[in-house]
Amino acid sequence: MRIGNAPFVLAAAVMVSMAPLSAQVPRAITLQEALQRSLAVQPNVIQAANQIRTGELRTRSAWGAYLPTLTGSSNGSRNFSEGVSRIDPATGQLISGDRTTQNVGFGLNAGIELFDGFRRSNELKSARAAEDALEANYVDVQFQNALTTTEAFFAALSAQQQLRVRTAAVERSEEQFKVAVARLQAGAANRSDSLRSFVTRGSAQLQRLQQEVTLATAEANLGRLVGSTDRVAALDDSAFYATPVMLDTLALRQEALSVSPRVRNAELSLRAAEATASQARSTYWPTLNLSLNQNWSGNNINDYQLFQSRSASLSVNWQLFNRFGREQQAEQATLNVINAEANAEEARRQVVSSLTQRLAELGSAQQQVEFARTNVEAATEDLRIVNERYKVGVATIVDVVTSQEQLTTAEVQLVDARFAFLRAKAQLEAILGRTLQ
């Protein structure tokens, strides 16, 4: 059949020759596998884990400050002295006045700080609080990384489902095009019906091609997050779409304020700042140090026989004035505490605000899913009826195209609503630091 002139023929050739963007089928992974692989390769997660190790080393160093120090030393020397030669009266031999003396020595020195103005105890307290804060930060980073990976996973899965919707729309438009051509050949329809069906099919094919680009982009981004240089597809799971039980908003609010990784991180950072401020004030106290020394020395004159010497010293040091250096450190530490208190309060407000927003989004998304599912059922039935009416000449091609577009729109909205619900749930889990059942 001849539809029209050259432009339509060329457009048809282009539509037929359209091929997928990539013939390679990307490897599909589950959400759990994506989360595990992302934790192993993402720099921010690795850095947060290494910071915990740094905090552990600092705590060990602060604890080791209570232990005594032990230093070993050794030395050797050779001395030359020039003198006047003389004759031995007994033997008559000439004795040189030059003399060489060789000395050796060994020593041990032990020292311990008996009182430090509570500096070490505050250092240890600050180090432990900082280590706890780093652990809380690591948990927060893990959940934020899980949120990023989950959103990327759902973006890939959503694009995958949207592509199926667009493919179904192409198939429906092709079927309708065949029906329009058959009716035209039978003399039951005019030429405009086949042309309109042809344009509708071309539009559906273009939308499918655009969706293939979206899918490729989403799978490439997912691949990057899980440490792959290739596209990675998301594996669907029916458990994703299970609606959770009704959530207790008040209980979730209290839980978020007490155990949210972000709040815990801010509170422990405040505790570390308070300990550091106490440590800065310890410089106003005197310090008391005990030192013990044991030395052995000898030389070639006595055949290197070692002689011992011991000493003990007890010293008190009290820095009375250091040109306001202590005052600056103490004041700066106090200001850091004030800043940490403000950050902790802001973290609580942010968590409550985000929780309220995510709960509202979750409830709205649940309702949107139900509405969209109903719309798909209604649009499917409407298209069936309109197709039957068109076959018997009661409905027009405009009615068919409109019904097809309504069904495609309803299917797209259903996919969007489902993944809006999943994204809101993932964001809520990141706030709480746990998985919602």
Side-chain angles (χ1 to χ4, degrees):
M1 168 208 161
R2 183 176 179 182
I3 297 177
N5 50 21
F8 285 103
V9 176
L10 179 60
V14 171
M15 294 301 176
V16 172
S17 64
M18 282 184 179
L21 291 177
S22 174
Q24 180 182 3
V25 178
R27 176 177 177 269
I29 62 174
T30 64
L31 176 59
Q32 189 63 31
E33 184 180 356
L35 294 175
Q36 292 175 352
R37 291 177 57 178
S38 178
L39 285 176
V41 300
Q42 285 304 301
N44 58 335
V45 179
I46 296 173
Q47 291 168 5
N50 290 335
Q51 287 174 350
I52 293 179
R53 178 55 181 162
T54 302
E56 292 173 348
L57 294 175
R58 180 188 171 190
T59 301
R60 186 179 69 176
S61 178
W63 179 85
Y66 285 97
L67 302 176
T69 60
L70 182 62
T71 305
S73 63
S74 64
N75 61 79
S77 63
R78 188 172 187 177
N79 301 321
F80 300 90
S81 61
E82 184 177 349
V84 179
S85 301
R86 63 184 177 85
I87 296 175
D88 190 338
T91 62
Q93 294 179 349
L94 181 66
I95 300 175
S96 175
D98 296 338
R99 177 175 295 183
T100 300
T101 305
Q102 294 181 350
N103 302 285
V104 294
F106 307 92
L108 287 175
N109 176 269
I112 187 170
E113 197 170 22
L114 301 178
F115 179 70
D116 58 3
F118 311 104
R119 172 181 52 82
R120 289 174 297 183
S121 60
N122 288 319
E123 281 182 352
L124 183 58
K125 186 186 300 183
S126 175
R128 287 174 174 169
E131 184 180 344
D132 291 340
L134 290 173
E135 291 177 352
N137 177 68
Y138 179 58
V139 174
D140 187 25
V141 169
Q142 282 183 308
F143 274 98
Q144 293 304 318
N145 180 76
L147 174 60
T148 301
T149 305
T150 301
E151 288 181 334
F153 183 91
F154 286 149
L157 189 58
S158 173
Q160 186 184 119
Q161 294 186 8
Q162 294 284 19
L163 181 60
R164 284 200 286 265
V165 170
R166 296 302 180 183
T167 300
V170 169
E171 293 173 353
R172 287 194 295 265
S173 65
E174 288 177 345
E175 289 296 323
Q176 182 55 41
F177 177 71
K178 293 177 182 178
V179 171
V181 170
R183 285 175 53 82
L184 178 62
Q185 291 176 340
N190 55 39
R191 189 163 173 260
S192 65
D193 284 7
S194 59
L195 291 175
R196 186 179 295 274
S197 298
F198 177 79
V199 171
T200 300
R201 185 183 67 170
S203 176
Q205 289 174 331
L206 286 175
Q207 289 175 339
R208 181 177 63 180
L209 186 60
Q210 292 170 354
Q211 189 58 43
E212 287 177 354
V213 174
T214 301
L215 176 61
T217 303
E219 290 181 343
N221 184 49
L222 178 60
R224 177 185 63 83
L225 289 175
V226 300
S228 174
T229 56
D230 298 323
R231 290 172 53 178
V232 173
L235 195 61
D236 204 356
D237 188 345
S238 59
F240 293 153
Y241 314 106
T243 303
V245 296
M246 296 299 294
L247 300 175
D248 188 341
T249 305
L250 182 59
L252 288 178
R253 177 191 176 99
Q254 294 174 347
E255 179 184 353
L257 287 175
S258 59
V259 301
S260 171
R262 182 147 299 178
V263 172
R264 286 284 297 161
N265 186 13
E267 290 176 344
L268 291 172
S269 296
L270 171 59
R271 188 185 305 173
E274 291 171 343
T276 302
S278 299
Q279 176 185 343
R281 291 190 292 268
S282 66
T283 55
Y284 288 96
W285 291 83
T287 60
L288 180 62
N289 295 274
L290 174 64
S291 179
L292 301 174
N293 296 279
Q294 174 75 52
N295 295 289
W296 295 266
S297 62
N299 53 51
N300 62 334
I301 297 177
N302 52 23
D303 295 329
Y304 298 104
Q305 182 180 356
L306 298 178
F307 296 93
Q308 297 185 26
S309 63
R310 299 184 182 91
S311 65
S313 64
L314 187 65
S315 62
V316 177
N317 297 306
W318 197 343
Q319 192 175 49
L320 300 178
F321 181 69
N322 72 338
R323 294 172 292 186
F324 305 108
R326 293 177 300 187
E327 286 72 16
Q328 179 184 355
Q329 293 177 356
E331 185 65 21
Q332 184 61 55
T334 301
L335 294 177
N336 290 339
V337 171
I338 296 174
N339 294 336
E341 287 176 346
N343 290 335
E345 289 298 327
E346 177 62 16
R348 296 186 188 96
R349 291 192 294 268
Q350 285 181 346
V351 163
V352 172
S353 175
S354 298
L355 183 68
T356 302
Q357 178 183 351
R358 301 314 174 195
L359 285 172
E361 290 176 353
L362 192 67
S364 175
Q366 285 180 275
Q367 295 182 4
Q368 289 177 16
V369 169
E370 296 302 324
F371 292 153
R373 186 179 291 114
T374 302
N375 288 340
V376 169
E377 294 174 356
T380 301
E381 180 63 17
D382 178 71
L383 179 60
R384 186 189 67 80
I385 294 174
V386 171
N387 279 331
E388 294 297 328
R389 295 179 62 193
Y390 178 74
K391 290 177 181 179
V392 297
V394 177
T396 66
I397 190 64
V398 175
D399 297 328
V400 176
V401 171
T402 301
S403 184
Q404 286 180 340
E405 292 176 348
Q406 289 176 345
L407 176 57
T408 300
T409 300
E411 291 175 336
V412 168
Q413 289 175 346
L414 177 59
V415 174
D416 289 341
R418 283 175 175 173
F419 287 96
F421 169 79
L422 292 175
R423 283 191 293 269
K425 181 182 176 184
Q427 291 167 344
L428 188 58
E429 291 173 342
I431 295 173
L432 296 174
R434 68 175 178 87
T435 302
L436 291 175
Q437 301 297 333

